[in-house]
Amino acid sequence: MPTNFTVVPVKDGTGKAKKGNKEDDVDDNNVIKEEEEGATGDGLPKENSPFINNTDNDKGNSYDGTNMALFEEEMDSNPMVSSLLNKLANYTNLTQGAQEHEEADDDEGPKKKAVKSPQMGTFMGVYLPCLQNILGVILFLRLTWIVGTAGILESLAIVILCCSCTMLTAISMSAIATNGVVPAGGSYYMISRSLGPEFGGAVGLCFYLGTTFAGSMYILGTIEILLTYIVPKAAIFVAERKEDEVDALLNNMRVYGTCCLALMSVVVFVGVKYVNKLALVFLACVILSILAIYAGVIKTIFEPPDFPVCMLGNRTLQNQNFDKCLKTDVIGNLTVTTKLWSLFCDGPELNATCNEYFDNNNVTEVQGIPGLTSGIISENMWSVYGPLGMLVEDKKLSSLGGSDSSQDIYLPYVVNDITTFFTLLVGIYFPSVTGIMAGSNRSGDLRDAQKSIPIGTILAIATTSFIYVSCVILFGGCIEGVLLRDKFGDSVKGNLVIGTLSWPSPWVIVIGSFFSCCGAGLQSLTGAPRLLQAIARDGIVPFLQVFGHGKANGEPTWALLLTAGICEIGILIASLDAVAPILSMFFLMCYLFVNLACAVQTLLRTPNWRPRFKYYHWALSFLGMSLCLALMFICSWYYAIVAMAIASCIYKYIEYRGAEKEWGDGIRGLSLNAARYALIRLEEAPPHTKNWRPQVLVLLNVDSDQAVKHVRLLSLTTQLKAGKGLTIVGNVLEGTYLTKEAEAKKAEQNIKSAMSAEKTKGFCHVVVSSNLRDGMSHLIQSAGLGGMKHNTVLMAWPGTWRQSNDPQSWKNFIETVRESTAAHHALLVAKNVDSFPTNQDRLGEGTIDVWWVVHDGGMLMLLPFLLRQHKVWRKCKMRIFTVAQMDDNSIQMKKDLQVFLYHLRLDAEVEVVEMHDNDISAFTYEKTLVMEQRSQMLKQMQLSRTEREREAQLIHDRNTASHAAINDKAEATPEQVHMTWTKDKLFTERNRNRECNANVAVRDLFNMKPEWESLNQSNVRRMHTAVKMNEVVVNKSQGAHLVLLNMPGPPRNRGGDENYMEFLEVLLEGLNRVLLVRGGGREVITIYS
């Protein structure tokens, strides 16, 4: 849709239109150097971006005008549109590649040359480089052999399969490359910024390995052409026997390949500019060679070249050690034997003993290149696969077999040097279609990369696909099948098979292919180190950092050394046919992820996905991805598994050890979409009891410096959760957000650091509120999202509430308890939390004691089980205590509880503690009186802090004296506690209690201290429960590693809040580690599967 822009000149007070002052608004050197320069590569503002929040270049450009005064306060962070457009006009993304290195070499003055704006068009910048990289060694050295072995039909299938794969990848790549500016890095940059640093690093290294092994393949191709077709006598290792020829060739390849690699590495190290200047020469060699092939094909129509192939019966002979394809020759009326006779017989005499097959069959000559009109195409339609050592035979010729075929390997027959089958040929052929990234790798040199990359790449693939398809048909239509299957041209005196077809001479192809392979090898050794350097400078793989350094001009010296070392591995393999499938794997892996990146971005419909190239679809990308995966396993299933394992290892390494990067990648978008979908699904229904697990909201406090208090709360959370479920760590700061923004960020950062140190996986939520009470309420109500909300609140017991100046501290605590209950959340309160074990501690033999007084959903039973999953608590045993009243049958209770635990699949010791109805002791009354008096005094007198402490001390002294007196009395009359109730004991106790006049006993107590009579009897009863429970719990669990106890609810009447805190203090007195548990009002544990 066309969009019209109107530029309106705004006049200032003098009536003149203000023009943007280039010197003020624009930095001439405003070049966005992506990833290469200051180089953390994380996409954060290290770049000199012309967009919002980049005002470094505009410092001092104060705005003095009057026309835009309304926006003058925004000028600090948001640039004027005129300034923005001016910067965009001066924007460039020239790569820190070979061109800059060349300029640095040539630059001798104190100032560097001004960076030239890129001027290359589609033809020179994309089309020709892609053409040069795609056409190469396989076309010249192996395509004829592939056509002869697989037949025309299967060869076409191989070509179409591979070319379809690259065409679909090119469509996906074009979409990614035109979605914004693609700086240096090519495919690595595209994948890493689309799929994230993990995928980017894994695929980038795979692409690097593929490019490096491609260098090995080109060097091996160069040496094969040199030793087989140009100077065969230069071979160091010469086979004395025919069966040793393969080993001799491989050893020669290793020696010469290593020397060639060393020479090429020196050339690349000394001056990349020479490689770049020779690129056009190498490309000219490729184009001339292909033109020579087509010219030769046309010539065969009128005058086929004379390349006879000598056949013995239907077997092809190596035509190198004899000159005439005859058994005997007549010279001056004398019949003499030929050199061929000597190869099959034990002497030159006519009566010599000869090989049986040689005796039975005649020697004939067939034309190696019968021509396009000969009809040979029909014979070459079908495949001829075979094992290693299989003879190359022409089935249409007659043959009488010999009895002893074991001697055939020692005779000069043309044989298969490897076992051939369809999938092997796919792996060998695929490298001939790689190289489609050449255009995107040069994006910095292009005048309009977003237009040139799609057109140039797709046209180059279409051109090369046409060349390959036509060559398959033309080779099959012009060349005899036995010559096609002769890989090294032994049957035509060691000529390159494709060279026999070319015009005007076979040497055109030989020399052209030699220089083509040389150039491609140099290009690989130039490109691979720079790719590794780009990955290293991104900082995503820590151990590769050293390869980001190089010479003063940025030349990647260390990366070049590593590349040469890996390249040497391919050269030591020595076989072109063995190296080709290896690099096929790495390139296919790269192409697979390019397709995946495009598909993910398209399906996610992220707002930033706006490619200028419109002819793409996610289905095409998925088809390309599937094709790449299929080709990987077709080529070699074990190489595919190894390549995937390497990529997976790199992925996991980057995930765990790599630097954190935020590149706005598609995987993050995919995670967001998946999270949204999952949250919507979770919202549909509440979780079943079987799926219930504590989703914890941890209420943390920070001190005045925003440092975390009670870090052990996070340790407890980690031990309780073992990394599963939801954890939200919340904190409330008092004040307004506008004044406390910096403190809130600092607190959040400190909490995140503490979470990281304690290995607590979760989210941090800092809220600024006018008061702590409202902030806690907001957290409890609104933390979480959708179905991923907390169901449990964990907080620390306010241990200093008695000494606090502000009663609001304990009131906030009680209100939090009330709101958690109202929200149906479970509540965990940790007393003495700073004494809880850290994640590094290992508790020895001990117990986790559960005091199950009230059933509120089974939380008490579930928590010890979850804690014991963590290595800190693993050795602890679980004990469950329950309390029996006078009317309960404790023996039956114990049996029932054991059965219940058995069905819950929990291992625990069970004990029933009986508490009979004791009279309320004087100690309890005294405790209650002191509590009420203290509360009343503090309310009425509003004592100062000093007076409060003195009052608290007086109360403490009085409590101690009273407690001592009661203990003396208790020793005189031992308390009757029966741990096992029987029916007889029950009635005896009841009768005894009835006989005692309870009213008289109470009246006696009131006579001791008349003020006790005025006490609130509800408080007295509660204090009595707290004292008795405390005695029993301390008696049984004082040595336990952890005590879990039902937490009583706060009173409905808020007037008794302070008393509630006193009751809890009495209940927990004398216990070290305590976790008070209050259920959320729903079952959290079930006996059902």
Side-chain angles (χ1 to χ4, degrees):
M1 188 173 94
T3 306
N4 296 322
F5 290 99
T6 305
V7 180
V8 181
V10 180
K11 296 186 178 182
D12 61 10
T14 60
K16 294 180 182 178
K18 261 186 90 68
K19 294 184 180 180
N21 187 346
K22 199 167 188 176
E23 292 177 359
D24 289 340
D25 289 337
V26 181
D27 182 357
D28 289 337
N29 295 319
N30 180 26
V31 181
I32 295 184
K33 293 185 171 86
E34 183 70 39
E35 313 309 331
E36 293 254 346
E37 206 169 65
T40 55
D42 51 6
L44 297 173
K46 274 233 174 182
E47 303 164 344
N48 192 9
S49 169
F51 299 101
I52 289 175
N53 295 329
N54 183 45
T55 56
D56 293 343
N57 296 327
D58 299 326
K59 301 287 184 192
N61 297 346
S62 57
Y63 181 77
D64 298 325
T66 57
N67 293 311
M68 295 293 165
L70 185 61
F71 298 98
E72 64 186 2
E73 290 189 1
E74 308 213 4
M75 301 293 173
D76 293 337
S77 57
N78 301 346
M80 287 287 291
V81 172
S82 58
S83 172
L84 170 71
L85 295 176
N86 224 333
K87 288 182 180 180
L88 287 173
N90 285 271
Y91 170 85
T92 179
N93 66 326
L94 195 61
T95 64
Q96 291 286 316
Q99 186 172 346
E100 282 85 342
H101 299 320
E102 182 180 327
E103 288 175 355
D105 284 339
D106 293 341
D107 189 13
E108 309 233 336
K111 291 186 179 180
K112 287 197 173 183
K113 291 182 182 179
V115 177
K116 298 174 185 175
S117 59
Q119 290 299 322
M120 296 182 79
T122 304
F123 186 74
M124 289 296 292
V126 181
Y127 181 75
L128 290 181
C130 283
L131 213 62
Q132 180 187 357
N133 278 266
I134 295 172
L135 299 170
V137 61
I138 301 295
L139 170 65
F140 300 122
L141 295 184
R142 292 290 183 269
L143 191 58
T144 52
W145 173 73
I146 290 172
V147 173
T149 306
I152 293 173
L153 294 179
E154 289 186 31
S155 298
L156 284 174
I158 293 171
V159 171
I160 291 168
L161 197 66
C162 296
C163 290
S164 302
C165 175
T166 53
M167 181 60 85
L168 292 169
T169 304
I171 291 170
S172 299
M173 186 192 73
S174 299
I176 297 171
T178 58
N179 185 51
V181 179
V182 178
S187 60
Y188 161 68
Y189 181 90
M190 289 190 292
I191 294 169
S192 62
R193 270 51 174 186
S194 297
L195 293 178
E198 293 88 359
F199 280 112
V203 179
L205 285 174
C206 282
F207 190 48
Y208 163 74
L209 290 173
T211 309
T212 305
F213 276 105
S216 301
M217 184 185 75
Y218 292 128
I219 291 171
L220 290 173
T222 304
I223 302 306
E224 186 175 310
I225 294 168
L226 181 71
L227 293 181
T228 310
Y229 307 113
I230 300 178
V231 279
K233 293 181 180 179
I236 298 171
F237 300 91
V238 180
E240 296 179 357
R241 298 179 301 171
K242 180 176 177 290
E243 61 270 24
D244 296 331
E245 286 178 355
V246 174
D247 292 335
L249 176 63
L250 294 181
N251 287 329
N252 285 317
M253 299 276 271
R254 291 183 180 108
V255 173
Y256 278 96
T258 304
C259 296
C260 184
L261 172 63
L263 182 64
M264 286 186 175
S265 300
V266 169
V267 170
V268 171
F269 177 77
V270 169
V272 178
K273 57 185 177 182
Y274 304 115
V275 178
N276 292 329
K277 285 174 181 174
L278 287 170
L280 281 176
V281 177
F282 298 138
L283 178 61
C285 292
V286 174
I287 293 172
L288 286 173
S289 301
I290 291 169
L291 291 176
I293 294 168
Y294 282 112
V297 168
I298 294 169
K299 183 174 178 292
T300 61
I301 300 173
F302 314 106
E303 184 186 348
D306 182 29
F307 283 99
V309 177
C310 188
M311 308 291 294
L312 176 61
N314 64 357
R315 299 178 181 179
T316 312
L317 296 175
Q318 293 183 348
N319 188 4
Q320 288 178 329
N321 296 323
F322 57 92
D323 47 358
K324 293 182 179 178
C325 186
L326 298 168
K327 288 185 180 181
T328 57
D329 194 9
V330 178
I331 299 175
N333 297 325
L334 287 176
T335 302
V336 295
T337 58
T338 61
K339 289 183 179 179
L340 179 60
W341 180 282
S342 302
L343 295 174
F344 285 88
C345 303
D346 57 7
E349 301 83 11
L350 288 170
N351 59 354
T353 305
C354 295
N355 178 267
E356 186 179 354
Y357 188 85
F358 184 75
D359 285 337
N360 294 341
N361 293 277
N362 293 323
V363 175
T364 54
E365 273 190 341
V366 296
Q367 194 53 254
I369 301 177
L372 201 58
T373 55
S374 63
I376 195 72
I377 190 169
S378 59
E379 296 176 14
N380 290 332
M381 280 290 179
W382 312 109
S383 59
V384 187
Y385 299 119
L388 171 67
M390 187 187 84
L391 301 174
V392 175
E393 299 175 336
D394 188 348
K395 297 299 182 185
K396 69 178 181 290
L397 297 178
S398 59
S399 170
L400 293 173
S403 57
D404 185 13
S405 60
S406 62
Q407 297 300 310
D408 290 346
I409 60 170
Y410 305 110
L411 298 171
Y413 295 123
V414 177
V415 296
N416 281 358
D417 64 329
I418 55 172
T419 302
T420 53
F421 43 91
F422 178 78
T423 57
L424 172 80
L425 298 186
V426 175
I428 292 173
Y429 173 76
F430 188 81
S432 66
V433 295
T434 60
I436 61 172
M437 301 287 186
S440 64
N441 290 347
R442 291 167 177 248
S443 56
D445 303 328
L446 301 173
R447 190 182 307 117
D448 184 358
Q450 298 195 6
K451 178 184 175 184
S452 298
I453 289 174
I455 296 173
T457 306
I458 291 171
L459 276 179
I461 293 174
T463 305
T464 52
S465 299
F466 170 77
I467 290 171
Y468 284 130
V469 169
S470 62
C471 281
V472 166
I473 296 170
L474 294 175
F475 292 165
C478 291
I479 305 173
E480 179 65 46
V482 290
L483 181 55
L484 284 173
R485 294 196 295 280
D486 181 3
K487 185 186 286 186
F488 301 109
D490 292 327
S491 59
V492 284
K493 297 189 181 296
N495 275 303
L496 182 61
V497 175
I498 197 172
T500 60
L501 182 62
S502 65
W503 179 87
S505 164
W507 284 101
V508 175
I509 294 283
V510 172
I511 301 300
S513 60
F514 177 78
F515 282 113
S516 166
C517 291
C518 275
L522 282 169
Q523 293 281 1
S524 297
L525 287 177
T526 305
R530 277 170 181 72
L531 179 59
L532 181 63
Q533 187 182 43
I535 298 169
R537 286 188 171 180
D538 259 352
I540 57 172
V541 185
F543 70 82
L544 289 181
Q545 296 281 7
V546 65
F547 298 109
H549 309 300
K551 289 199 292 187
N553 63 350
E555 198 67 31
T557 311
W558 293 107
L560 177 61
L561 286 173
L562 180 67
T563 303
I566 297 172
C567 207
E568 178 64 17
I569 295 172
I571 286 169
L572 292 176
I573 294 172
S575 170
L576 188 69
D577 303 320
V579 172
I582 296 175
L583 67 103
S584 295
M585 287 306 127
F586 292 122
F587 278 118
L588 280 165
M589 181 84 75
C590 179
Y591 297 166
L592 184 149
F593 280 101
V594 168
N595 284 299
L596 176 63
C598 181
V600 166
Q601 297 278 32
T602 308
L603 288 174
L604 288 178
R605 296 176 184 170
T606 50
N608 191 53
W609 179 246
R610 303 185 299 274
R612 290 194 176 279
F613 180 77
K614 301 297 182 187
Y615 305 102
Y616 69 94
H617 193 270
W618 64 266
L620 289 175
S621 299
F622 266 117
L623 179 62
M625 188 176 71
S626 306
L627 203 53
C628 288
L629 190 63
L631 279 171
M632 284 177 71
F633 283 91
I634 287 172
C635 292
S636 172
W637 64 266
Y638 45 89
Y639 278 158
I641 291 171
V642 169
M644 289 173 132
I646 291 171
S648 302
C649 290
I650 298 167
Y651 178 95
K652 296 307 289 182
Y653 178 81
I654 295 172
E655 187 177 50
Y656 285 115
R657 296 291 306 278
E660 288 293 328
K661 303 291 177 186
E662 177 48 70
W663 286 333
D665 51 84
I667 293 298
R668 190 171 178 82
L670 191 62
S671 301
L672 285 170
N673 263 20
R676 181 186 63 84
Y677 174 77
L679 285 170
I680 290 171
R681 287 291 304 273
L682 282 173
E683 190 77 0
E684 293 174 2
H688 191 274
T689 303
K690 288 185 286 187
N691 296 327
W692 194 95
R693 66 166 65 245
Q695 319 281 17
V696 183
L697 169 64
V698 184
L699 297 179
L700 268 189
N701 291 327
V702 295
D703 59 21
S704 56
D705 294 327
Q706 279 69 53
V708 178
K709 292 181 182 177
H710 308 310
V711 179
R712 297 288 174 86
L713 270 179
L714 297 176
S715 307
L716 178 61
T717 308
T718 304
Q719 293 155 22
L720 189 64
K721 309 277 295 165
K724 302 292 191 297
L726 175 71
T727 301
I728 303 172
V729 181
N731 172 249
V732 179
L733 295 179
E734 205 165 0
T736 62
Y737 187 69
L738 292 177
T739 58
K740 294 276 187 177
E741 181 191 1
E743 292 176 29
K745 287 182 178 176
K746 184 180 177 184
E748 184 173 354
Q749 192 59 45
N750 290 343
I751 291 172
K752 284 182 177 177
S753 300
M755 289 172 68
S756 177
E758 296 297 329
K759 298 180 181 176
T760 305
K761 296 178 182 176
F763 309 99
C764 176
H765 196 173
V766 176
V767 171
V768 181
S769 178
S770 57
N771 59 70
L772 293 175
R773 159 92 178 75
D774 290 345
M776 293 284 192
S777 178
H778 294 154
L779 274 176
I780 291 171
Q781 291 177 63
S782 62
L785 180 65
M788 282 297 280
K789 290 182 75 70
H790 60 278
N791 54 30
T792 305
V793 177
L794 172 62
M795 59 195 302
W797 171 260
T800 59
W801 69 275
R802 280 176 172 163
Q803 290 78 37
S804 174
N805 290 328
D806 186 7
Q808 205 60 42
S809 62
W810 53 264
K811 286 183 179 178
N812 286 340
F813 171 79
I814 296 174
E815 288 304 314
T816 305
V817 175
R818 285 196 175 103
E819 287 185 352
S820 300
T821 305
H824 301 291
H825 296 329
L827 178 67
L828 308 178
V829 179
K831 189 195 177 198
N832 297 335
V833 69
D834 294 327
S835 69
F836 275 61
T838 66
N839 292 328
Q840 286 72 41
D841 293 339
R842 300 292 179 267
L843 297 178
E845 298 290 336
T847 59
I848 301 175
D849 287 358
V850 177
W851 285 85
W852 191 22
V853 181
V854 180
H855 178 63
D856 52 3
M859 187 85 168
L860 275 168
M861 253 80 74
L862 188 61
L863 290 175
F865 169 76
L866 293 174
L867 282 173
R868 289 177 63 214
Q869 305 302 304
H870 197 276
K871 50 196 171 186
V872 171
W873 303 90
R874 192 160 290 156
K875 292 182 180 178
C876 296
K877 292 181 180 177
M878 179 177 163
R879 293 195 301 181
I880 295 185
F881 296 90
T882 190
V883 178
Q885 299 300 317
M886 194 179 299
D887 294 339
D888 298 327
N889 183 340
S890 56
I891 296 174
Q892 188 60 41
M893 276 179 69
K894 184 171 182 176
K895 288 181 181 176
D896 292 344
L897 184 54
Q898 286 171 337
V899 171
F900 181 55
L901 290 176
Y902 176 78
H903 286 308
L904 287 176
R905 288 93 63 204
L906 294 176
D907 296 323
E909 296 177 19
V910 174
E911 194 168 334
V912 178
V913 178
E914 298 169 350
M915 290 179 64
H916 63 272
D917 290 337
N918 276 347
D919 293 336
I920 298 174
S921 66
F923 173 67
T924 303
Y925 278 107
E926 186 65 22
K927 274 274 209 191
T928 311
L929 177 64
V930 170
M931 176 185 74
E932 291 192 355
Q933 286 178 346
R934 179 179 181 278
S935 177
Q936 195 66 26
M937 281 192 301
L938 293 179
K939 285 176 185 174
Q940 290 177 356
M941 298 173 63
Q942 294 295 314
L943 298 175
S944 67
R945 180 174 184 180
T946 310
E947 290 171 301
R948 283 194 195 187
E949 288 176 358
R950 189 182 304 125
E951 177 69 20
Q953 186 62 42
L954 286 171
I955 292 168
H956 178 265
D957 294 343
R958 196 184 310 159
N959 287 353
T960 307
S962 176
H963 200 181
I966 299 301
N967 283 346
D968 292 341
K969 191 179 289 185
E971 286 173 12
T973 56
E975 186 175 309
Q976 299 194 11
V977 178
H978 299 283
M979 297 310 294
T980 305
W981 289 95
T982 63
K983 197 171 184 181
D984 294 334
K985 281 185 181 180
L986 175 64
F987 285 114
T988 305
E989 186 69 18
R990 279 183 180 173
N991 293 334
R992 190 168 66 78
N993 287 342
R994 283 170 188 164
E995 288 168 5
C996 297
N997 190 335
N999 292 330
V1000 173
V1002 171
R1003 198 173 297 117
D1004 289 342
L1005 282 171
F1006 289 163
N1007 289 336
M1008 288 170 59
K1009 240 182 183 181
E1011 58 265 34
W1012 288 355
E1013 195 165 2
S1014 62
L1015 292 175
N1016 185 326
Q1017 291 303 306
S1018 173
N1019 285 346
V1020 174
R1021 287 199 313 275
R1022 285 183 165 87
M1023 184 64 79
H1024 174 70
T1025 304
V1027 170
K1028 299 305 293 181
M1029 273 298 299
N1030 177 258
E1031 287 177 5
V1032 175
V1033 174
V1034 169
N1035 181 41
K1036 292 285 182 182
S1037 301
Q1038 195 163 23
H1041 285 316
L1042 180 64
V1043 176
L1044 282 86
L1045 188 66
N1046 282 114
M1047 182 179 184
R1052 291 187 180 89
N1053 178 15
R1054 283 179 166 76
D1057 283 357
E1058 188 175 20
N1059 298 339
Y1060 173 68
M1061 298 294 289
E1062 286 283 0
F1063 296 144
L1064 291 182
E1065 279 284 9
V1066 172
L1067 181 62
L1068 305 178
E1069 196 172 356
L1071 296 171
N1072 183 21
R1073 294 187 194 125
V1074 184
L1075 196 60
L1076 287 172
V1077 180
R1078 186 161 175 76
R1082 61 160 294 167
E1083 290 291 339
V1084 301
I1085 193 166
T1086 178
I1087 64 174
Y1088 299 106
S1089 62

